[in-house]
Amino acid sequence: DEVRRVRAPVLALYGETSDLRGAAEDLARVLPDCDLRVLPGCSHSVLWEATALVREAVVTWISERSQAPETGPSPVNARVS
């Protein structure tokens, strides 16, 4: 399964009642660095149903990642000459 080869950190946001929630839980088990967050009261359309929660989750996740000690170059931190 090719998804198992993903080594980049993943923030997975899914609605509590999304028809894909089971797949999201599988994804979180397979990916080594997956942060699965289930948004209560939301379906599959989390961007429409909980825009503020999605924005806060993404901003917080990126902020936490940017403060973590680096383990090597990543696309976000890599310098281009």
Side-chain angles (χ1 to χ4, degrees), residues 23-77:
E25 292 166 354
D26 292 341
L27 186 68
R29 279 191 289 276
V30 169
L31 293 176
D33 194 5
C34 182
D35 184 356
L36 172 61
R37 299 190 190 180
V38 177
L39 304 181
C42 293
S43 68
H44 181 69
S45 303
V46 294
L47 287 173
W48 292 104
E49 298 169 335
T51 304
L53 283 175
V54 169
R55 179 179 52 241
E56 180 63 28
V58 170
V59 168
T60 300
W61 188 79
I62 290 171
S63 176
E64 289 169 353
R65 290 278 172 182
S66 68
Q67 294 174 14
E70 288 189 43
T71 57
S74 71
V76 173
N77 295 322

Side-chain angles (χ1 to χ4, degrees), residues 4-31:
R4 293 178 189 274
R5 295 180 12 203
V6 173
R7 295 293 175 245
V10 174
L11 173 61
L13 302 174
Y14 285 81
E16 177 181 33
T17 62
S18 172
D19 55 335
L20 297 176
R21 183 172 172 188
E25 292 166 354
D26 292 341
L27 186 68
R29 279 191 289 276
V30 169
L31 293 176

